[in-house]
Amino acid sequence: SFTDYDNNGLAQLEILCKQLYETTDTAVRHQAEKALVEFTNSPDCLSKCQLLLERGSSSYSQLLAATCLSKLVSRTSNPLPLEQRIDIRNYVLNYLATRPKLAAFVTQALIQLYARITKLGWFDCQKDDYVFRNVIADVTRFLQDSVEHCIIGVTILSQLTNEINQADTTHPLTKHRKIASSFRDSSLFDIFTLSCNLLKQASGKNLNLNDESQHGLLMQLLKLSYNCLNYDFIGTSTDESSDDLCTVQIPTSWRSAFLDSSTLQLFFNLYHSIPPSLSPLVLSCLVQIASVRRSLFNNAERAKFLSHLVDGVKRILANPQCLPDPNNYHEFCRLLARLKSNYQLGELVKVENYPEVIRLIANFTVTSLQVGVPGVTLLFPTCCSPVPHLFPTCSPPVVHLFPTCSPPVPHLFLTCSPPVVHLDGLEDPLDDAGLVQQQLDQLSTIGRCEYEKTCALLVQLFDQAAQTYQELLQSTNSSAADITVQEGRLTWLVYIIGAVIGGRVSFASTDEQDAMDGELVCRVLQLMNLTDSRLAQAGNERLELAMLSFFEQFRKIYIGDQVQKSSKLYRRLSEVLGLNDETMVLSVFIGKIITNLKYWGHSYFSFSICVFLLDLLFTYSSVRKLVKLSAVQFMLNNHTSEHFSFLGVNNQSNLSDMRCRTTFYTALGRLLMVDLGEDEDQFEQFMLPLTAAFEAVAQMLSTNTFNEQEAKRTLVGLVRDLRGIAFAFNAKTSFMMLFDWIYPAYMPILQRAIELWYHDPACTTPVLKLMAELVHNRSQRLQFDVSSPNGILLQSFYSLLEVLTQDHMNFIASLEPHVVMYILSSISEGLTALDTMVCTGCCSSLDHIVTYLFKQLSRSTKKRPTPMATDDRFLHIMQQHPEMIQQMLSTVLNIIIFEDCRNQWSMSRPLLGLILLNEKYFADLRNSIVNSQPPEKQQAMHLCFENLMEGIERNLLTKNRDRFTQNLSVFRREVNDSMKNSTYGVNSNDMMS
C-alpha cells in the first residue's frame, strides 16, 4: 500500500516500474503489475502522480505518472473538474518547458496527455472563454527557445492534430465530429500555415542535418504538415489500409495556400535538399497536395496548379538520385497515381512539358523493370491506361513514346514479369491470383499499343517456348523440373495472350489486328491439343487455369451476336485448324471442359471449370446452339462417375470439395431446360443417375450395418446435385417435374439422414440448402394449383394480419384468448423473418396492436365511460400474458442494435409504444445491456439510452413518434460505434430469453 510517500515509497515504486518494463521473469512482472494497478486505482492517484513527476528519478516512473494522468482525464464516469484539468494542462506544459531532455517515451506520453486534455475539453468554457483552444499560444514559448524546445512545440501540434483527427471509441461519434469540425474551422489552417512558415525558415538556413536535434526538428515539421493535409476534413474516414485513390477535401478557406505556387514549390525544393531519410515524408505531403479536390479551383487556376505539379514531377524524374530508396520509390509511385486519378488525361496532355514527362516516366518504368523493383508494374498503366482513345491526341502521341524507350516498355513487361519460380521450395508468383490479374489488366492495355510489335514479340516468345517444351517432352534425358519450368513460361504467355485479346475492347480494332489475334489463338489451341494428349500421364494445373482464362477473354471478344462472322480471326482459325465459325470454337471449348472434368475432377480447378461453363451459358445469347453440340449432348446423357470422376464417391477427398457439383448441375439443368418443355420422359431419363443414387442411399439406410462414410458422401453429393438442378429450373413446368420426382418419394430419406447425422454440419448444411432452394419462389415457380396438397403460400397471411390490425382491432379484441395469442406469436415470429416485406408488415401490425392497447389503457386511467366488454377482455389477456409484449420489445431492440436492420423506420414505430407499455421492463433491459459492456464503455452506452428518450413524451402522437424515430437513428449509429471494438457485447440469445 502506498499510503506514505517518503523517499523509500518512491524508491519502491520506481523498482516496481523497472520490474514491469524490463524484467524477463513473468512472475515478477505479474506481481509488479498487480501492485501498480493498486496505485492507479488509489483515490489520491492525482497527487501521487504529481509527486512522481517532481521527485522521481526513473524514466519509467515518469511514464507511469503520465499514463495514469491520461486515464484520469479520459474517464467518462466521475470526470475531473474543469479547474483541475486546466491545472494539469498548465503543469504539463511547464514540466516540458523546464525539462526538454526527458526520455523520448516520457516526452511522448506527456504530449499525448496534453493532446487528450485539449481534445476532451474543447467545448469547455470558463468565464465565456474556451480555455483549451489557445493551442498555438500554448506552444509559442517552445518555438522561441532552443532546438529541443522547438521539437517539443511542433510535436505537441502534430500530436494534437492527429489526436483530434482520430475517432474516440470511448465517446459518441457525434461528439468527436463536433470537436473535429470545430478544430478544423478554428485552428487547423493556422497550424498548417505555421508549419509551412517554419519549413521555409528551416530551408532558408544552412541546417546541419547530421545533427540529431536539427534532423529531428525537420522531421517533426514534416509530420505536422502531413497530419494537417491528411486531416479528415468532412468525416469520411477513408480506409488507410488500402491505397485507394481518394480526394483530399480541402476547405475553401484554404484556397490561398494552394493558389500560391510557393507552397507547392516549398515541398519540391525540400525534396531535393534533404537526405533520403526525410524525403519520403516530403513526398507523402505532395501525394496529399496532388489529391486536393478539383472544385477548389476554377479551370484556369486548376491548369496553372497542374502545370506546377507536373513541373515538380519532371524535376524529380530528371534527378532520380533519391528514387532507389524503397520508401521514396513507393511514395513517388503513389504521387504519380494520385496525379493521374485527380486530373483527366485531357487536362494532362495540355500541360506544356507533358510529352517530356511521359517519356521520363516510361524510362523510369524501364529502369525499374530491369533492376526488378517490385510493384513497378502498377505504375505506368496508371498514368496512361484509363482513356486509350485520347492517346493519339498527344503531340507526339503517347503510344509513340513507348517504343522510344530502350528496350520498349511492352517488351519488358512481357519478358520480365512475373519471374518463373518453381524450384527450391520458393513460392510461384503464378499462384498469387491477385498479382496475376493485376498485371494482366495492365498488359491488356499496354499490349494493344503498337499491337503489331507486341503480337510479333508474343509469337516469337511463344514459338521459342513451345519448341523448347516439345524438345523436352521428346527427350529421354529431360528432368521433371525442366519441364515444369518451361510449362511455367508457357502458362504466363497464355495468360498474356488472353489479356491482350481481351484488351481489344478498349481500342478501335482493325481487320489486320483481328488476323494477329488469330495467329495467337491458333498457337494456344495447338498447345492445348499437345497438353491434352499428356493428361493421362501428367498435367499442369496452372497451365490449365491459364487456358481457362484465355477462353474467357476470347469468349468476351469473339463469341456473340455482335461479332462479325467475316472476322479475319475466324479465317485464320479456319486455315490452320479447320474452325470456321464460333459454333465450332464453342465445340472445342466444351470438349476441353469435358476433358478437364474427367482428369481434374477432385481439385479446386474443377470448380473453376464449372464456373466458366456456367458463365458461358448465362452470357451466351444463343444457348440453343450449344445444346445441339455433340459434346453438350454427351454431358446431358452421361453425367455419371464413369465419365466424370468427381461425381463418384472418393473417400480421400473432403466433403467440401463436392461444391463444384452444384455448379456443374446448375449448368446441366440450364442446358436441359432449353428443349425440355413438358417432356417428362426426357426428364426421367436425365434423372436416372440421381434416381439410382437415391435408391442406393435408401438401401444403405434400411440396414443396421452400412458403410457410414460411403453413405454420407453419396448423400451429400446427391443433394448438392439436386440443388444445382433446382436452381436452374426456374420455370413452373420444369420445377414441378422435379418437385413431383422428389416429393413424397424421397423426402423420408432426407429426413432420416438428418436424424442420423444431425451433429455433422458437413451433412446437414447441404440438405438444408437443398430444402431452402426447393421452397424459394424463384420466378414465381411455386404457384401451386388451388387444390394441390404440395403447399400453400403464406406471403398473404401477414398481409391479412396487417389489414385486420389496421381496420378491425375491435374484431381481434373479441377473439378467444388462444386465437389472440396465436396472432401475437405469429407477429413475433415474423419480426425475425428474412423476407423484409414480411418483417415490415409485422412491424405495422404490431404498431396497430400496441397503439390500440395504449389507448385502452389511457382511457381506463381517466374518467371515461365504461369500456366495451371486448376491450376489457383484450386488456385482461395482455395483463395475463405480459411476456408476449416484453418478448417483442426485446426482439425489436435486439434487431436494431445487433443486426443489419434494413427497415429501421418500420421498427421504430411499434418500439415507442412497446417501451411506454413496459417501462420497468425496458429499464431492466437497458441496465442489462449497459452492464454487459466493458467498464470504460458503460457510461457511453448509458448516455446513448438517455439520448434515445430525450424529449420524448408519454404519448403516441405523430410528432412524438417522429422525434423518437430521429432519436433512434442517432442511437443505433452511436451504439454501433461504441461496440465496434468491444469484446463483450450482449448475447442476442440472452436478450431473447
Side-chain angles (χ1 to χ4, degrees), residues 624-658:
R624 199 170 295 277
K625 291 183 181 178
L626 285 176
V627 177
K628 298 186 184 327
L629 297 177
S630 59
V632 171
Q633 287 298 316
F634 176 85
M635 284 196 297
L636 290 174
N637 296 321
N638 298 278
H639 48 101
T640 63
S641 59
E642 178 184 354
H643 298 281
F644 300 99
S645 60
F646 70 97
L647 296 178
V649 177
N650 184 350
N651 292 325
Q652 303 302 318
S653 62
N654 296 323
L655 289 175
S656 59
D657 291 340
M658 295 185 180

Side-chain angles (χ1 to χ4, degrees), residues 381 410 413-414 417 438-448 492 496 499-500:
F413 266 87
L414 298 181
S417 180
Q438 200 173 53
Q439 298 197 3
L440 293 179
D441 290 342
Q442 296 152 13
L443 285 168
S444 66
T445 300
I446 290 183
R448 279 277 166 178
W492 180 232
I496 292 176
V500 296

Side-chain angles (χ1 to χ4, degrees), residues 648-681:
V649 177
N650 184 350
N651 292 325
Q652 303 302 318
S653 62
N654 296 323
L655 289 175
S656 59
D657 291 340
M658 295 185 180
R659 60 179 179 165
C660 67
R661 295 177 60 156
T662 303
T663 311
F664 178 69
Y665 269 95
T666 300
L668 290 189
R670 176 156 168 78
L671 289 168
L672 180 67
M673 277 189 61
V674 172
D675 293 324
L676 181 61
E678 300 179 358
D679 191 341
E680 294 187 2
D681 291 337

Side-chain angles (χ1 to χ4, degrees), residues 82 86 89 121-135 138:
L82 175 60
I86 294 174
R89 187 270 312 270
W122 191 256
F123 289 111
D124 290 341
C125 283
Q126 188 182 57
K127 298 179 181 179
D128 298 327
D129 179 32
Y130 290 103
V131 289
F132 291 104
R133 295 193 183 183
N134 300 318
V135 292
D138 287 344

